[in-house]
Amino acid sequence: MSAHVEHASHGAHEHPDHVPVYIKLAVVLSVLTGIEVAILFVALPDALMLTGLYGLAALKFGLVVAMFMHLKYDNKILTGIFFSGFTIALATMFAMVALINYQPTKTSIHVKTSKELAALNAGDASKGPEVFMAKGCAACHAISSLPGAVGAVGPKLDGLSQRAAALGGKDYIKQSIDNPNAVVVEGYPAGLMPANLKASMSDDEYKNLISYLETL
């Protein structure tokens, strides 16, 4: 009788009741599944979302395998082989996620509009009077708004932009400096403007002077 009881007790020890453990595992799996569903409704970057979903799936897989295949009771060598393969699989999975979501840097090419190009070629009108005086233009031309510009050899430049509008606008003003004798104002002889005026100016000075004359 005592031997039978001892054998029964020993058998119960060899086959413990796993029901509570299975219930705990089911709860854990349910929670992990709930987290997976929640991730789908949260605005996350694709890489982060995929990583989270794959990671949770791998965790659930590991829990199920560890419990239902009794890996914790297996030979340590076999368990090591399993987890080595499992680790490699995880590393491969994350590498694939990174590769799928990798986007090479794109070099954007901005084509400038005509307005932007015009802005690049425009000068600083506020610096135009300085150029006008420095290049001796005031000795021949008068501008009522510019002190010291009282020349009477050439035409007065007040209202120049309005007169130029009928003759080509900015192009006319530029031509008057680039090639002064191309168009001569009526009542004034040719050859008064120095032909090398543009050559005596830097690019910035030239642009600044043109921009200033456009405001007159």
Side-chain angles (χ1 to χ4, degrees), residues 90-100:
L90 278 179
T92 303
M93 178 189 66
F94 288 122
M96 290 181 65
V97 171
L99 183 61
I100 291 173

Side-chain angles (χ1 to χ4, degrees), residues 2 4 12 15 24 29 31 44 56-57 79 87 92 94 97 126 131 150 155 168 184 186-187 193 202:
S2 60
H4 178 72
H15 302 284
K24 292 178 181 179
L29 293 177
V31 172
L44 294 174
L56 290 171
T79 302
T87 301
T92 303
F94 288 122
V97 171
S126 66
V131 180
V150 293
V184 179
E186 185 178 355
M193 285 274 290
S202 66

Side-chain angles (χ1 to χ4, degrees), residues 71-87:
L71 286 177
K72 61 182 180 180
Y73 301 115
D74 282 347
N75 184 285
K76 291 184 178 181
I77 296 178
L78 297 177
T79 302
I81 293 174
F82 170 80
F83 279 109
S84 296
F86 186 64
T87 301

